[in-house]
Structure formats: structure tokens, C-alpha cells
Amino acid sequence: MASHRKSRSGPKRSLVSSTARTAALLALTGAVSGTALEGTGHADPRLTTAQVKARVDQYRMEAEEAAEKYNGAREKADTARRALGELRDEAARRTARLNTARNALGAYATAQYRAGTVAPTLQLALSSSPDEYLQRASLAERAAGRQAATITGITRQEKALRRVRGAAADRLAELRSSQEALSRHKRAVEKKLAAADRLLDRLTAAQRRRLADRERPGARNAPAGGGAAAQAPATTGRAARAVAFAHAALGKPYVWGATGPHGYDCSGLTQAAWKSAGVALPRTTYTQINAGRRVGRSQLAPGDLVFFYAGISHVGIYIGDGRMIHAPHPGAPVRVAPIDQMPFAGASRPV
């Protein structure tokens, strides 16, 4: 009996001990969660608000890199699509000309067959005028020569048509490859932005406000240091028009892949700004940096393009006093910011 009571009390003590440990663990977890991220219980306790910001910035930078690759692939796809359309139009025109030539040759062959039942020697014998026969024979010979030239022309047209169709097939393959790249880069952008959103969702409303304050340029109306031009010269000409366009775009949303007029990504904004000034820039950051004359940071003037990060994945348009106008990232509209806000990579002057 005693042994029976002992056997029952053992599991009971084990259950109590397990419950106590669970309660202690929950209390400890609650205490850690309560202090992590300044009070949020649903955030990752290993990340501070500053660490969340750093990770979000990294995801956004990677998303922007993928977005610029998307822009490049779309530009290639658009070029291939236009070229394919032109080649198909040319192939259709060549096919029509070839068919016309073939029909003419067929009609001539049919006429020759119908008129060729009498042998030439008999035609001469039956002719009342040998001179008339020789004249007709000369005309027939010249006609045969023209038809031989027609046959040669048809052969050349067939070869040219095959070349055009081959070029169209190459362009079609290029278009499909670019479209696959578009989808791949689009998925990469969406994946990085979704990761950033998940991190931000872990923050409380108060923390989001503090994070927004950190991202908002505190000295947007004051000169930024770091070696930038202290006072830019007066803006004139095309550069002035590009800067004016950028100012007019302030507040418009960041939309990746967009070139306006209702939204922009970073390179879409700079391209549109300089287009308004009559200068055609390429579509992506890594091609825009080579589109003009390189300038040093201390020689920056309004209208210059300023590039950031080692991968040249972000661009803004310089407006003077160490500031730029740029389209930062999804959720942040076109705005003024100091160029010291990101790792400076270089600058170029379109004109």
C-alpha cells in the first residue's frame, strides 16, 4: 500500500515540477520580450529597433539592385520587341514582293507553254516575212533574258527573306530571354520588399514613428558636410530645367519600374528629369553613371547625377548645398535628402 502511494506521488511531483519550469520559462520569455524592441511582445527579442532599421535598409538596397536589373531587362525586352516587329514587317513586305515575282514568272511560263506548240524552224518556214520572224525572235530572246533576270532576282529575294526570318527568330529568342529575366528580377524585388515589410510589422506604432523620424532627413534644408560642394553655382540651361522637374516631382510616390508621371523609381526620376531638359539618359543606374562626364564630389553642380552603394544601385539628382532630390524606396515619396545619407559611389554630368 505504501509502495502504491509512493508510485502515485512520484508522477505528481514530476508534473508540478514541469509546470513550475514552464511557468518560469514563460515569465522569463515575457520579461525578455517586454524589454526587447523597447516593449513590443511580438517582435524578435534579438533585434533592436536600430538593428531592424539596418536589416530593412539592407533589404531595400537589395530590392533596388534587383529593380535596376529589372529595368535593364525591360529595356532589352522593349528593344527586342520593337526590332522583332520591324523584322516581321520587313519579312511580310519581302514575302509579298517574292510572291508577285513568282506569279509573274508563272504567268510567263504558262504563256510560253501555250504559244510554244510550233517549232521555231517551222515558224520560220511558215512565216510570210523572214524579217518579221527575226524581229519576233529577237523580242522573245530579250523577254527570255528578262525572265532569267527575274529568276535570279527571286533567288536573291528568297535568300534575303530567309536572313530576315532568321534575324526575327533570334530577336524572338532574345525577347523571351529578357521576359524570363524580368520575371526573375520582379520576384527578387517582391521577396526583398516582403522581408522588409515583415520586419517592420514587428515594430509597435511608436517604434515605427521613431524609425520614420530616423529615415526622415533632419537637416533637409541645411548644408551637408562630408566633402560635398559647400555652395553650388547658379543653375542655368538644361541642368536648371532638370532640377526644376525634380522639384516639381517632390511628394510623388516611389513605384519601382516607373518613369512617371505619377510615380518614379530612382533612375526613372533622373531619366525623366533630364528628358524634360532634352537629354536622353539610359534607363538604369549602372548605365546612367557612364552617360555623362564623371565629376568629383567636390565639383558637384546642380543637375549632376549622384550615385550610391558599391553596386551603383541608387541615384539622385544633385540640387546644391550637399543635397539631392531622389526617389528613396517604396513607402517613401520623392524628397530632398543629404547626399551623406548613403555611401557615395560617384557622380556624372549629363551635359
Side-chain angles (χ1 to χ4, degrees), residues 26 52 64 113 146 149 201 204 206 214 224 246 265 286 325 337 344:
L26 289 173
V52 168
E64 199 155 30
Y113 175 78
R146 286 196 298 272
D201 286 343
T204 64
R214 291 185 184 184
D265 64 10
Y286 43 85
I325 293 176
F344 186 83

PDB file of all heavy atoms in Angstrom, residues 26 52 64 113 146 149 201 204 206 214 224 246 265 286 325 337 344:
ATOM      1  N   LEU A  26       7.964  30.844 -19.242  1.00  0.00           N
ATOM      2  CA  LEU A  26       7.062  31.846 -19.799  1.00  0.00           C
ATOM      3  C   LEU A  26       7.314  33.217 -19.200  1.00  0.00           C
ATOM      4  O   LEU A  26       7.295  34.236 -19.892  1.00  0.00           O
ATOM      5  CB  LEU A  26       5.607  31.432 -19.559  1.00  0.00           C
ATOM      6  CG  LEU A  26       5.095  30.246 -20.387  1.00  0.00           C
ATOM      7  CD1 LEU A  26       3.703  29.838 -19.931  1.00  0.00           C
ATOM      8  CD2 LEU A  26       5.087  30.611 -21.865  1.00  0.00           C
ATOM      9  N   VAL A  52      16.699  46.439 -36.631  1.00  0.00           N
ATOM     10  CA  VAL A  52      15.612  46.270 -37.598  1.00  0.00           C
ATOM     11  C   VAL A  52      15.798  47.254 -38.747  1.00  0.00           C
ATOM     12  O   VAL A  52      15.669  46.901 -39.925  1.00  0.00           O
ATOM     13  CB  VAL A  52      14.241  46.476 -36.929  1.00  0.00           C
ATOM     14  CG1 VAL A  52      13.137  46.598 -37.974  1.00  0.00           C
ATOM     15  CG2 VAL A  52      13.940  45.316 -36.004  1.00  0.00           C
ATOM     16  N   GLU A  64      16.385  47.294 -54.535  1.00  0.00           N
ATOM     17  CA  GLU A  64      16.675  48.304 -55.548  1.00  0.00           C
ATOM     18  C   GLU A  64      17.661  47.770 -56.589  1.00  0.00           C
ATOM     19  O   GLU A  64      17.543  48.062 -57.786  1.00  0.00           O
ATOM     20  CB  GLU A  64      17.216  49.574 -54.897  1.00  0.00           C
ATOM     21  CG  GLU A  64      17.095  50.779 -55.796  1.00  0.00           C
ATOM     22  CD  GLU A  64      17.035  52.079 -55.004  1.00  0.00           C
ATOM     23  OE1 GLU A  64      17.619  52.145 -53.916  1.00  0.00           O
ATOM     24  OE2 GLU A  64      16.399  53.017 -55.487  1.00  0.00           O
ATOM     25  N   TYR A 113       4.171  28.151-122.706  1.00  0.00           N
ATOM     26  CA  TYR A 113       3.712  26.779-122.963  1.00  0.00           C
ATOM     27  C   TYR A 113       2.587  26.773-124.001  1.00  0.00           C
ATOM     28  O   TYR A 113       2.558  25.954-124.919  1.00  0.00           O
ATOM     29  CB  TYR A 113       3.236  26.150-121.656  1.00  0.00           C
ATOM     30  CG  TYR A 113       2.636  24.781-121.831  1.00  0.00           C
ATOM     31  CD1 TYR A 113       3.454  23.663-122.005  1.00  0.00           C
ATOM     32  CD2 TYR A 113       1.255  24.617-121.838  1.00  0.00           C
ATOM     33  CE1 TYR A 113       2.907  22.407-122.176  1.00  0.00           C
ATOM     34  CE2 TYR A 113       0.693  23.362-122.008  1.00  0.00           C
ATOM     35  CZ  TYR A 113       1.512  22.250-122.178  1.00  0.00           C
ATOM     36  OH  TYR A 113       0.973  21.005-122.355  1.00  0.00           O
ATOM     37  N   ARG A 146      14.970  38.768-119.704  1.00  0.00           N
ATOM     38  CA  ARG A 146      14.321  39.429-118.572  1.00  0.00           C
ATOM     39  C   ARG A 146      13.805  38.396-117.572  1.00  0.00           C
ATOM     40  O   ARG A 146      13.897  38.588-116.363  1.00  0.00           O
ATOM     41  CB  ARG A 146      13.177  40.317-119.058  1.00  0.00           C
ATOM     42  CG  ARG A 146      13.638  41.607-119.733  1.00  0.00           C
ATOM     43  CD  ARG A 146      12.496  42.604-119.842  1.00  0.00           C
ATOM     44  NE  ARG A 146      11.399  42.088-120.670  1.00  0.00           N
ATOM     45  CZ  ARG A 146      11.325  42.227-121.987  1.00  0.00           C
ATOM     46  NH1 ARG A 146      12.297  42.853-122.655  1.00  0.00           N
ATOM     47  NH2 ARG A 146      10.289  41.752-122.649  1.00  0.00           N
ATOM     48  N   ALA A 149      16.591  37.112-115.547  1.00  0.00           N
ATOM     49  CA  ALA A 149      16.925  38.078-114.501  1.00  0.00           C
ATOM     50  C   ALA A 149      15.896  38.017-113.376  1.00  0.00           C
ATOM     51  O   ALA A 149      16.232  38.147-112.194  1.00  0.00           O
ATOM     52  CB  ALA A 149      16.984  39.485-115.095  1.00  0.00           C
ATOM     53  N   ASP A 201       6.576  45.092 -39.585  1.00  0.00           N
ATOM     54  CA  ASP A 201       5.327  44.701 -38.916  1.00  0.00           C
ATOM     55  C   ASP A 201       5.564  44.276 -37.475  1.00  0.00           C
ATOM     56  O   ASP A 201       4.626  44.241 -36.666  1.00  0.00           O
ATOM     57  CB  ASP A 201       4.650  43.561 -39.688  1.00  0.00           C
ATOM     58  CG  ASP A 201       4.008  44.050 -40.968  1.00  0.00           C
ATOM     59  OD1 ASP A 201       3.812  45.271 -41.097  1.00  0.00           O
ATOM     60  OD2 ASP A 201       3.727  43.216 -41.842  1.00  0.00           O
ATOM     61  N   THR A 204       6.173  48.236 -32.905  1.00  0.00           N
ATOM     62  CA  THR A 204       4.982  48.909 -32.420  1.00  0.00           C
ATOM     63  C   THR A 204       4.800  50.213 -33.188  1.00  0.00           C
ATOM     64  O   THR A 204       5.696  50.667 -33.906  1.00  0.00           O
ATOM     65  CB  THR A 204       5.118  49.239 -30.920  1.00  0.00           C
ATOM     66  OG1 THR A 204       6.195  50.174 -30.756  1.00  0.00           O
ATOM     67  CG2 THR A 204       5.392  47.986 -30.105  1.00  0.00           C
ATOM     68  N   ALA A 206       4.725  53.176 -31.987  1.00  0.00           N
ATOM     69  CA  ALA A 206       5.684  54.165 -31.500  1.00  0.00           C
ATOM     70  C   ALA A 206       7.051  53.939 -32.130  1.00  0.00           C
ATOM     71  O   ALA A 206       7.749  54.896 -32.496  1.00  0.00           O
ATOM     72  CB  ALA A 206       5.792  54.086 -29.980  1.00  0.00           C
ATOM     73  N   ARG A 214      13.944  58.684 -37.973  1.00  0.00           N
ATOM     74  CA  ARG A 214      15.344  58.436 -38.315  1.00  0.00           C
ATOM     75  C   ARG A 214      15.561  58.485 -39.825  1.00  0.00           C
ATOM     76  O   ARG A 214      16.599  58.947 -40.300  1.00  0.00           O
ATOM     77  CB  ARG A 214      15.786  57.078 -37.782  1.00  0.00           C
ATOM     78  CG  ARG A 214      15.892  56.987 -36.274  1.00  0.00           C
ATOM     79  CD  ARG A 214      16.447  55.647 -35.853  1.00  0.00           C
ATOM     80  NE  ARG A 214      16.479  55.493 -34.412  1.00  0.00           N
ATOM     81  CZ  ARG A 214      16.990  54.432 -33.793  1.00  0.00           C
ATOM     82  NH1 ARG A 214      17.514  53.452 -34.501  1.00  0.00           N
ATOM     83  NH2 ARG A 214      16.985  54.365 -32.476  1.00  0.00           N
ATOM     84  N   ALA A 224      24.923  69.757 -46.097  1.00  0.00           N
ATOM     85  CA  ALA A 224      25.508  68.530 -45.565  1.00  0.00           C
ATOM     86  C   ALA A 224      27.001  68.579 -45.772  1.00  0.00           C
ATOM     87  O   ALA A 224      27.490  69.122 -46.740  1.00  0.00           O
ATOM     88  CB  ALA A 224      24.921  67.311 -46.273  1.00  0.00           C
ATOM     89  N   ALA A 246      12.701  67.918 -61.149  1.00  0.00           N
ATOM     90  CA  ALA A 246      12.823  67.129 -59.920  1.00  0.00           C
ATOM     91  C   ALA A 246      12.079  67.790 -58.766  1.00  0.00           C
ATOM     92  O   ALA A 246      11.411  67.111 -57.975  1.00  0.00           O
ATOM     93  CB  ALA A 246      14.296  66.931 -59.575  1.00  0.00           C
ATOM     94  N   ASP A 265      10.790  55.351 -59.856  1.00  0.00           N
ATOM     95  CA  ASP A 265      11.866  54.769 -59.058  1.00  0.00           C
ATOM     96  C   ASP A 265      13.062  55.696 -59.228  1.00  0.00           C
ATOM     97  O   ASP A 265      12.958  56.742 -59.888  1.00  0.00           O
ATOM     98  CB  ASP A 265      12.151  53.311 -59.446  1.00  0.00           C
ATOM     99  CG  ASP A 265      12.673  53.150 -60.877  1.00  0.00           C
ATOM    100  OD1 ASP A 265      13.001  54.163 -61.529  1.00  0.00           O
ATOM    101  OD2 ASP A 265      12.761  51.990 -61.342  1.00  0.00           O
ATOM    102  N   TYR A 286      23.337  51.825 -63.432  1.00  0.00           N
ATOM    103  CA  TYR A 286      24.680  51.423 -63.849  1.00  0.00           C
ATOM    104  C   TYR A 286      24.986  51.775 -65.299  1.00  0.00           C
ATOM    105  O   TYR A 286      26.130  51.634 -65.738  1.00  0.00           O
ATOM    106  CB  TYR A 286      24.917  49.926 -63.598  1.00  0.00           C
ATOM    107  CG  TYR A 286      23.790  49.013 -63.976  1.00  0.00           C
ATOM    108  CD1 TYR A 286      23.637  48.545 -65.273  1.00  0.00           C
ATOM    109  CD2 TYR A 286      22.867  48.600 -63.023  1.00  0.00           C
ATOM    110  CE1 TYR A 286      22.605  47.703 -65.619  1.00  0.00           C
ATOM    111  CE2 TYR A 286      21.820  47.746 -63.363  1.00  0.00           C
ATOM    112  CZ  TYR A 286      21.691  47.298 -64.656  1.00  0.00           C
ATOM    113  OH  TYR A 286      20.663  46.465 -64.991  1.00  0.00           O
ATOM    114  N   ILE A 325      17.645  65.495 -54.782  1.00  0.00           N
ATOM    115  CA  ILE A 325      16.261  65.023 -54.834  1.00  0.00           C
ATOM    116  C   ILE A 325      16.317  63.607 -55.379  1.00  0.00           C
ATOM    117  O   ILE A 325      16.966  63.342 -56.396  1.00  0.00           O
ATOM    118  CB  ILE A 325      15.388  65.921 -55.726  1.00  0.00           C
ATOM    119  CG1 ILE A 325      15.250  67.317 -55.088  1.00  0.00           C
ATOM    120  CG2 ILE A 325      14.007  65.310 -55.941  1.00  0.00           C
ATOM    121  CD1 ILE A 325      14.489  68.314 -55.949  1.00  0.00           C
ATOM    122  N   ALA A 337      17.106  65.083 -49.752  1.00  0.00           N
ATOM    123  CA  ALA A 337      17.902  64.394 -48.733  1.00  0.00           C
ATOM    124  C   ALA A 337      19.360  64.794 -48.886  1.00  0.00           C
ATOM    125  O   ALA A 337      19.805  65.173 -49.972  1.00  0.00           O
ATOM    126  CB  ALA A 337      17.763  62.878 -48.870  1.00  0.00           C
ATOM    127  N   PHE A 344      28.426  57.129 -50.810  1.00  0.00           N
ATOM    128  CA  PHE A 344      28.613  57.797 -52.102  1.00  0.00           C
ATOM    129  C   PHE A 344      29.491  56.938 -53.007  1.00  0.00           C
ATOM    130  O   PHE A 344      30.529  56.422 -52.593  1.00  0.00           O
ATOM    131  CB  PHE A 344      29.258  59.163 -51.873  1.00  0.00           C
ATOM    132  CG  PHE A 344      29.368  60.012 -53.102  1.00  0.00           C
ATOM    133  CD1 PHE A 344      28.297  60.761 -53.535  1.00  0.00           C
ATOM    134  CD2 PHE A 344      30.550  60.075 -53.820  1.00  0.00           C
ATOM    135  CE1 PHE A 344      28.389  61.569 -54.667  1.00  0.00           C
ATOM    136  CE2 PHE A 344      30.671  60.867 -54.933  1.00  0.00           C
ATOM    137  CZ  PHE A 344      29.586  61.618 -55.359  1.00  0.00           C
TER     138      PHE A 344
END
